[in-house]
Amino acid sequence: MNQSSKTPVHYLSGKQAAELLGISRMAFYKRTPPPADAYIGDVPGWREHTITTWDASVKKKPGPVPGSTRKTKE
């Protein structure tokens, strides 16, 4: 079998997964990531589909509504 004809599978690191979601690496790990699809040594890796599916299924903390003004204490 010709191994060069196989397309390598691409896995995202925690940093890359966070970038995909538009959040910090710390925020990604605080949300308790899904089980890794693969490990390289002790380093977890995820497929893009795993991350986007997981992100769609987790409850996100409510944040400020865009365009709203926050009342300040007087």
Side-chain angles (χ1 to χ4, degrees):
M1 178 186 243
N2 184 356
Q3 289 187 347
S4 64
S5 65
K6 286 186 176 183
T7 303
V9 178
H10 182 77
Y11 294 99
L12 301 173
S13 66
K15 179 182 175 186
Q16 291 169 318
E19 288 171 358
L20 174 69
L21 301 176
I23 60 176
S24 71
R25 188 172 152 257
M26 184 181 290
F28 174 72
Y29 283 108
K30 279 186 176 182
R31 289 172 63 188
T32 310
D37 293 312
Y39 282 89
I40 299 174
D42 292 336
V43 180
W46 297 270
R47 290 182 179 203
E48 186 173 325
H49 176 76
T50 300
I51 295 299
T52 55
T53 302
W54 165 78
D55 182 56
S57 70
V58 294
K59 290 184 179 180
K60 297 176 180 70
K61 289 184 178 180
V65 176
S68 69
T69 57
R70 185 176 208 178
K71 292 183 180 180
T72 57
K73 292 182 181 180
E74 294 181 17

